[in-house]
Amino acid sequence: MPLSADCRALIDALSMPVFVVHGDGSLEWLNRRARQLLAGSAPQSIKSLLASPSQSDAFLRVMRRNQSFSHLALHLRAPLQDSYIASTRIAREGEFLDCWLLELLPRQLVVGGMHQLSQMIQRTTALKRERAVAEKTAQLALTQASRDSLTGIANRRAFDECLAAALVKADQQQDWLSVMIVDLDYFKAINDTHGHDLGDQVLQRVARLLSGTLTRRGDQVARIGGEEFGVLLPGADVHASLKVAWRLVMTLRQYNAGCPAGDSWHPVTLSVGVATRCPDQSISGRDLMRQADRGLYLAKERGRDQAVHAVPSAQTDPPLADTR
Protein backbone atom coordinates (compact mmCIF):
# COMPACT_ATOMS: atom_id res chain seq x y z
CA MET A 1 0.00 0.00 0.00
CA PRO A 2 1.61 3.32 -1.03
CA LEU A 3 2.08 6.29 1.21
CA SER A 4 -0.98 8.47 1.57
CA ALA A 5 -1.04 11.97 0.15
CA ASP A 6 -0.98 13.42 3.65
CA CYS A 7 2.18 11.48 4.53
CA ARG A 8 3.89 12.52 1.32
CA ALA A 9 2.99 16.15 1.90
CA LEU A 10 4.39 16.01 5.42
CA ILE A 11 7.64 14.34 4.35
CA ASP A 12 7.91 16.66 1.34
CA ALA A 13 7.87 19.66 3.68
CA LEU A 14 10.98 18.47 5.53
CA SER A 15 14.11 20.52 4.83
CA MET A 16 16.40 17.44 4.83
CA PRO A 17 16.61 14.87 2.01
CA VAL A 18 14.39 11.85 2.75
CA PHE A 19 14.11 8.52 0.91
CA VAL A 20 11.23 6.11 1.52
CA VAL A 21 12.57 2.56 1.19
CA HIS A 22 11.09 -0.93 1.51
CA GLY A 23 12.63 -3.74 3.53
CA ASP A 24 14.04 -5.29 0.34
CA GLY A 25 15.93 -2.08 -0.50
CA SER A 26 13.65 -0.80 -3.25
CA LEU A 27 12.98 2.94 -3.15
CA GLU A 28 9.32 3.91 -2.90
CA TRP A 29 9.61 7.67 -3.07
CA LEU A 30 11.94 10.69 -2.65
CA ASN A 31 10.89 13.96 -1.11
CA ARG A 32 11.41 17.32 -2.79
CA ARG A 33 14.78 18.04 -1.14
CA ALA A 34 16.14 14.61 -2.13
CA ARG A 35 15.02 15.08 -5.74
CA GLN A 36 16.73 18.45 -5.83
CA LEU A 37 19.93 16.97 -4.46
CA LEU A 38 19.93 14.20 -7.08
CA ALA A 39 19.16 16.71 -9.85
CA GLY A 40 16.14 14.84 -11.14
CA SER A 41 17.59 11.28 -11.22
CA ALA A 42 15.27 8.57 -9.91
CA PRO A 43 17.18 5.63 -8.35
CA GLN A 44 15.21 2.41 -7.96
CA SER A 45 17.17 0.78 -5.14
CA ILE A 46 19.23 1.81 -2.12
CA LYS A 47 22.09 -0.16 -3.69
CA SER A 48 22.41 2.48 -6.40
CA LEU A 49 23.08 5.15 -3.75
CA LEU A 50 25.89 3.32 -1.96
CA ALA A 51 29.57 3.87 -2.72
CA SER A 52 30.03 0.14 -2.02
CA PRO A 53 26.91 -1.65 -3.37
CA SER A 54 28.13 -4.91 -1.85
CA GLN A 55 27.33 -3.43 1.57
CA SER A 56 23.64 -3.14 0.75
CA ASP A 57 22.59 -6.40 2.45
CA ALA A 58 24.41 -5.49 5.66
CA PHE A 59 22.92 -2.01 5.52
CA LEU A 60 19.39 -3.38 5.12
CA ARG A 61 19.84 -5.67 8.14
CA VAL A 62 20.93 -2.71 10.25
CA MET A 63 18.09 -0.59 8.91
CA ARG A 64 15.46 -3.20 9.80
CA ARG A 65 16.71 -3.18 13.39
CA ASN A 66 16.52 0.63 13.50
CA GLN A 67 20.18 0.80 14.56
CA SER A 68 20.70 4.30 13.21
CA PHE A 69 24.21 4.88 14.54
CA SER A 70 25.48 1.78 12.77
CA HIS A 71 25.03 3.65 9.45
CA LEU A 72 27.85 6.04 10.32
CA ALA A 73 30.47 3.87 8.62
CA LEU A 74 28.40 3.72 5.41
CA HIS A 75 29.45 5.98 2.51
CA LEU A 76 27.17 7.20 -0.26
CA ARG A 77 27.87 8.10 -3.85
CA ALA A 78 28.11 11.67 -5.09
CA PRO A 79 26.39 14.02 -4.58
CA LEU A 80 25.40 12.34 -1.28
CA GLN A 81 28.97 11.57 -0.18
CA ASP A 82 28.90 14.12 2.65
CA SER A 83 25.68 12.82 4.16
CA TYR A 84 24.90 10.37 6.91
CA ILE A 85 21.86 8.08 6.84
CA ALA A 86 19.51 7.81 9.81
CA SER A 87 16.64 5.34 9.41
CA THR A 88 13.18 5.40 10.99
CA ARG A 89 10.53 2.73 10.53
CA ILE A 90 7.04 4.00 9.72
CA ALA A 91 5.08 0.75 9.80
CA ARG A 92 1.58 1.90 10.69
CA GLU A 93 -1.31 -0.52 10.52
CA GLY A 94 -3.81 0.29 7.77
CA GLU A 95 -1.52 2.66 5.90
CA PHE A 96 1.96 1.38 5.09
CA LEU A 97 3.90 -1.63 6.34
CA ASP A 98 7.60 -2.49 6.33
CA CYS A 99 8.69 0.93 5.17
CA TRP A 100 11.55 3.14 6.38
CA LEU A 101 12.40 6.79 6.08
CA LEU A 102 16.08 7.32 5.26
CA GLU A 103 16.99 10.85 6.36
CA LEU A 104 20.25 12.34 5.10
CA LEU A 105 22.07 14.45 7.67
CA PRO A 106 25.32 16.40 7.14
CA ARG A 107 28.06 13.86 7.95
CA GLN A 108 30.44 16.49 9.32
CA LEU A 109 27.81 17.73 11.75
CA VAL A 110 26.81 14.24 12.85
CA VAL A 111 30.39 12.96 13.22
CA GLY A 112 31.31 16.10 15.16
CA GLY A 113 28.20 15.69 17.31
CA MET A 114 29.07 12.04 17.94
CA HIS A 115 32.61 13.05 18.91
CA GLN A 116 31.26 15.67 21.30
CA LEU A 117 28.80 13.15 22.69
CA SER A 118 31.61 10.64 23.17
CA GLN A 119 33.71 13.24 24.98
CA MET A 120 30.73 14.20 27.13
CA ILE A 121 30.13 10.55 28.05
CA GLN A 122 33.82 10.12 28.89
CA ARG A 123 33.78 13.24 31.07
CA THR A 124 30.57 12.12 32.79
CA THR A 125 32.02 8.67 33.41
CA ALA A 126 35.22 10.18 34.81
CA LEU A 127 33.22 12.49 37.09
CA LYS A 128 31.10 9.58 38.32
CA ARG A 129 34.26 7.58 39.01
CA GLU A 130 35.85 10.49 40.88
CA ARG A 131 32.66 11.02 42.86
CA ALA A 132 32.50 7.33 43.79
CA VAL A 133 36.13 7.45 44.96
CA ALA A 134 35.46 10.64 46.94
CA GLU A 135 32.35 9.13 48.57
CA LYS A 136 34.25 5.95 49.42
CA THR A 137 37.11 7.99 50.89
CA ALA A 138 34.67 10.12 52.89
CA GLN A 139 32.85 7.02 54.15
CA LEU A 140 36.16 5.42 55.13
CA ALA A 141 37.21 8.59 56.96
CA LEU A 142 33.83 8.70 58.73
CA THR A 143 34.17 5.03 59.71
CA GLN A 144 37.69 5.58 60.99
CA ALA A 145 36.54 8.65 62.93
CA SER A 146 33.83 6.60 64.67
CA ARG A 147 35.99 3.54 65.46
CA ASP A 148 38.40 2.96 68.29
CA SER A 149 41.78 2.33 66.69
CA LEU A 150 42.90 -0.23 69.28
CA THR A 151 39.83 -2.45 69.68
CA GLY A 152 38.03 -1.83 66.37
CA ILE A 153 34.67 -1.20 68.08
CA ALA A 154 32.83 2.12 68.22
CA ASN A 155 34.48 5.02 70.05
CA ARG A 156 33.05 7.64 72.44
CA ARG A 157 31.97 9.91 69.59
CA ALA A 158 29.96 7.16 67.91
CA PHE A 159 28.48 6.07 71.25
CA ASP A 160 27.27 9.59 72.04
CA GLU A 161 25.67 9.85 68.60
CA CYS A 162 23.95 6.48 69.03
CA LEU A 163 22.74 7.47 72.48
CA ALA A 164 21.27 10.73 71.19
CA ALA A 165 19.48 8.89 68.37
CA ALA A 166 18.22 6.21 70.78
CA LEU A 167 16.75 8.88 73.09
CA VAL A 168 14.83 10.42 70.20
CA LYS A 169 13.53 7.02 69.11
CA ALA A 170 12.57 6.11 72.69
CA ASP A 171 10.59 9.37 72.94
CA GLN A 172 8.80 8.68 69.66
CA GLN A 173 7.94 5.08 70.54
CA GLN A 174 7.46 5.62 74.29
CA ASP A 175 9.93 2.81 74.98
CA TRP A 176 12.52 1.88 77.61
CA LEU A 177 16.21 2.66 77.21
CA SER A 178 19.12 1.43 79.32
CA VAL A 179 22.82 2.24 79.34
CA MET A 180 25.80 0.61 81.05
CA ILE A 181 29.29 1.73 81.95
CA VAL A 182 31.67 -1.24 82.10
CA ASP A 183 35.03 -0.83 83.80
CA LEU A 184 37.94 -3.30 84.01
CA ASP A 185 38.88 -3.85 87.63
CA TYR A 186 42.48 -3.04 88.66
CA PHE A 187 43.47 -2.50 85.05
CA LYS A 188 46.16 0.05 85.98
CA ALA A 189 47.99 -2.69 87.89
CA ILE A 190 48.10 -4.82 84.73
CA ASN A 191 49.74 -1.99 82.79
CA ASP A 192 52.14 -1.19 85.60
CA THR A 193 53.15 -4.84 86.24
CA HIS A 194 53.01 -6.46 82.83
CA GLY A 195 53.36 -3.50 80.46
CA HIS A 196 51.06 -1.70 78.06
CA ASP A 197 51.37 -4.32 75.31
CA LEU A 198 49.65 -6.91 77.49
CA GLY A 199 47.20 -4.25 78.65
CA ASP A 200 46.28 -3.53 75.01
CA GLN A 201 45.74 -7.26 74.38
CA VAL A 202 43.41 -7.45 77.38
CA LEU A 203 41.38 -4.49 76.10
CA GLN A 204 41.11 -6.06 72.65
CA ARG A 205 39.89 -9.39 74.00
CA VAL A 206 37.41 -7.77 76.37
CA ALA A 207 36.02 -5.71 73.48
CA ARG A 208 35.48 -8.91 71.47
CA LEU A 209 33.86 -10.67 74.43
CA LEU A 210 31.48 -7.77 75.09
CA SER A 211 30.54 -7.50 71.41
CA GLY A 212 29.95 -11.24 71.18
CA THR A 213 27.79 -11.32 74.31
CA LEU A 214 25.39 -8.64 73.05
CA THR A 215 23.11 -10.57 70.73
CA ARG A 216 20.12 -8.24 70.27
CA ARG A 217 19.89 -6.12 67.15
CA GLY A 218 20.37 -2.46 68.09
CA ASP A 219 22.56 -3.09 71.14
CA GLN A 220 25.78 -1.10 70.93
CA VAL A 221 29.13 -1.39 72.69
CA ALA A 222 31.86 1.21 72.52
CA ARG A 223 35.15 2.03 74.16
CA ILE A 224 34.44 5.36 75.86
CA GLY A 225 37.63 5.74 77.91
CA GLY A 226 40.93 4.06 78.73
CA GLU A 227 39.53 0.86 80.27
CA GLU A 228 35.87 1.90 80.19
CA PHE A 229 33.22 0.64 77.80
CA GLY A 230 29.73 1.96 77.21
CA VAL A 231 26.79 -0.29 76.33
CA LEU A 232 23.51 0.90 74.87
CA LEU A 233 20.40 -1.28 75.26
CA PRO A 234 17.34 0.15 73.44
CA GLY A 235 14.03 -1.26 74.71
CA ALA A 236 15.57 -2.84 77.83
CA ASP A 237 13.87 -2.18 81.17
CA VAL A 238 15.49 -2.43 84.63
CA HIS A 239 15.29 -6.21 84.87
CA ALA A 240 16.39 -6.88 81.28
CA SER A 241 19.35 -4.49 81.50
CA LEU A 242 20.57 -6.00 84.78
CA LYS A 243 20.31 -9.46 83.28
CA VAL A 244 22.52 -8.40 80.36
CA ALA A 245 24.98 -6.69 82.73
CA TRP A 246 25.39 -9.83 84.82
CA ARG A 247 25.79 -11.88 81.63
CA LEU A 248 28.79 -9.70 80.75
CA VAL A 249 30.27 -10.20 84.23
CA MET A 250 29.75 -13.97 84.09
CA THR A 251 31.11 -14.24 80.55
CA LEU A 252 34.42 -12.76 81.66
CA ARG A 253 34.53 -14.97 84.75
CA GLN A 254 34.06 -18.07 82.58
CA TYR A 255 36.68 -16.83 80.11
CA ASN A 256 39.19 -16.42 82.94
CA ALA A 257 38.48 -19.96 84.17
CA GLY A 258 38.74 -21.54 80.75
CA CYS A 259 41.82 -19.76 79.46
CA PRO A 260 44.63 -22.33 78.94
CA ALA A 261 47.92 -22.12 80.84
CA GLY A 262 50.64 -20.24 78.99
CA ASP A 263 48.20 -17.99 77.19
CA SER A 264 49.13 -14.32 77.15
CA TRP A 265 45.76 -13.47 78.68
CA HIS A 266 45.77 -11.93 82.15
CA PRO A 267 42.63 -12.61 84.23
CA VAL A 268 40.51 -9.49 84.70
CA THR A 269 37.04 -8.80 86.09
CA LEU A 270 34.33 -6.29 85.31
CA SER A 271 32.37 -3.78 87.34
CA VAL A 272 29.18 -2.62 85.64
CA GLY A 273 26.94 0.34 86.42
CA VAL A 274 23.45 0.32 84.88
CA ALA A 275 20.87 3.08 84.40
CA THR A 276 17.42 2.91 82.82
CA ARG A 277 15.13 5.57 81.36
CA CYS A 278 11.41 4.85 81.72
CA PRO A 279 9.06 5.52 78.77
CA ASP A 280 7.42 8.50 80.51
CA GLN A 281 10.66 9.91 81.91
CA SER A 282 12.36 13.02 80.56
CA ILE A 283 16.12 12.73 81.05
CA SER A 284 19.12 13.72 78.96
CA GLY A 285 21.78 11.32 77.72
CA ARG A 286 24.34 13.01 79.95
CA ASP A 287 22.20 12.53 83.06
CA LEU A 288 21.52 8.91 82.13
CA MET A 289 25.26 8.27 81.86
CA ARG A 290 25.76 9.98 85.24
CA GLN A 291 23.29 7.57 86.78
CA ALA A 292 25.14 4.63 85.22
CA ASP A 293 28.38 6.03 86.61
CA ARG A 294 26.75 6.12 90.04
CA GLY A 295 25.88 2.45 89.64
CA LEU A 296 29.49 1.73 88.65
CA TYR A 297 30.71 3.51 91.80
CA LEU A 298 28.43 1.29 93.91
CA ALA A 299 29.73 -1.84 92.15
CA LYS A 300 33.31 -0.81 92.95
CA GLU A 301 32.40 0.02 96.53
CA ARG A 302 30.76 -3.37 97.03
CA GLY A 303 33.83 -5.32 95.96
CA ARG A 304 33.93 -5.14 92.14
CA ASP A 305 33.28 -8.06 89.74
CA GLN A 306 29.54 -7.36 89.74
CA ALA A 307 26.72 -5.32 88.20
CA VAL A 308 24.69 -2.69 90.08
CA HIS A 309 21.71 -0.66 88.90
CA ALA A 310 21.67 2.99 89.86
CA VAL A 311 18.07 2.72 91.11
CA PRO A 312 18.25 1.70 94.81
CA SER A 313 15.25 -0.65 94.57
CA ALA A 314 16.61 -2.51 91.52
CA GLN A 315 17.78 -6.10 91.80
CA THR A 316 21.55 -6.17 92.26
CA ASP A 317 22.13 -9.88 92.73
CA PRO A 318 22.85 -11.93 89.62
CA PRO A 319 19.70 -13.46 88.05
CA LEU A 320 19.75 -17.23 88.55
CA ALA A 321 19.61 -17.94 84.83
CA ASP A 322 22.90 -16.13 84.35
CA THR A 323 24.91 -17.81 87.14
CA ARG A 324 24.71 -21.39 85.91
Side-chain angles (χ1 to χ4, degrees), residues 47-82:
K47 183 182 295 188
S48 62
L49 300 177
L50 302 179
S52 299
S54 61
Q55 296 181 349
S56 60
D57 290 340
F59 166 72
L60 291 175
R61 285 195 298 269
V62 171
M63 180 190 72
R64 294 187 195 109
R65 298 171 187 154
N66 279 343
Q67 295 176 338
S68 301
F69 289 108
S70 297
H71 305 333
L72 195 61
L74 191 72
H75 290 276
L76 303 175
R77 289 182 176 177
L80 311 178
Q81 71 273 14
D82 294 326

Side-chain angles (χ1 to χ4, degrees), residues 6 15 25 39 41 73 98 108 129 159 179 189 250 294:
D6 289 342
S15 61
S41 64
D98 294 328
Q108 183 178 4
R129 190 182 300 113
F159 183 81
V179 298
M250 299 306 297
R294 190 180 310 127

Side-chain angles (χ1 to χ4, degrees), residues 18 42 44 62 65-66 73 109 117 130 133 141 145 155-156 168 195 199 206 225 242 266 278 301 319:
V18 178
Q44 300 299 310
V62 171
R65 298 171 187 154
N66 279 343
L109 176 63
L117 178 61
E130 291 174 3
V133 171
N155 60 15
R156 181 59 187 257
V168 172
V206 170
L242 255 180
H266 187 282
C278 302
E301 191 177 56

Side-chain angles (χ1 to χ4, degrees), residues 13-14 17 61 140 153 192 208 256 321:
L14 296 176
R61 285 195 298 269
L140 180 61
I153 64 174
D192 293 343
R208 288 197 296 270
N256 289 333

Side-chain angles (χ1 to χ4, degrees), residues 112-290:
M114 291 288 289
H115 179 66
Q116 291 178 0
L117 178 61
S118 176
Q119 287 185 323
M120 186 182 302
I121 293 174
Q122 290 177 9
R123 285 198 299 269
T124 302
T125 303
L127 287 173
K128 287 182 178 179
R129 190 182 300 113
E130 291 174 3
R131 180 177 178 179
V133 171
E135 288 177 349
K136 185 176 181 179
T137 302
Q139 183 62 39
L140 180 61
L142 183 61
T143 300
Q144 291 175 341
S146 63
R147 292 287 165 187
D148 177 58
S149 58
L150 176 63
T151 62
I153 64 174
N155 60 15
R156 181 59 187 257
R157 171 184 171 180
F159 183 81
D160 289 343
E161 291 175 353
C162 289
L163 176 57
L167 284 168
V168 172
K169 188 174 181 180
D171 280 335
Q172 293 173 343
Q173 300 181 354
Q174 286 294 290
D175 201 359
W176 295 83
L177 174 64
S178 293
V179 298
M180 295 190 293
I181 297 179
V182 180
D183 187 79
L184 274 63
D185 298 326
Y186 303 113
F187 181 74
K188 185 176 182 300
I190 296 176
N191 278 335
D192 293 343
T193 305
H194 302 283
H196 288 276
D197 287 343
L198 179 61
D200 288 347
Q201 292 180 34
V202 170
L203 287 172
Q204 291 169 344
R205 291 206 200 183
V206 170
R208 288 197 296 270
L209 287 170
L210 295 180
S211 299
T213 306
L214 299 175
T215 56
R216 295 189 322 152
R217 184 176 181 180
D219 291 350
Q220 176 75 46
V221 61
R223 185 185 178 202
I224 60 175
E227 66 270 19
E228 279 192 348
F229 296 85
V231 177
L232 187 64
L233 302 173
D237 60 15
V238 173
H239 177 74
S241 60
L242 255 180
K243 193 172 183 179
V244 173
W246 272 105
R247 189 187 308 143
L248 298 180
V249 172
M250 299 306 297
T251 295
L252 202 57
R253 285 184 188 176
Q254 294 167 5
Y255 189 80
N256 289 333
C259 199
D263 191 279
S264 60
W265 170 255
H266 187 282
V268 66
T269 58
L270 299 179
S271 293
V272 185
V274 189
T276 301
R277 180 183 184 273
C278 302
D280 58 351
Q281 187 179 17
S282 178
I283 182 173
S284 67
R286 178 177 295 181
D287 288 339
L288 193 61
M289 290 297 286
R290 284 175 178 168

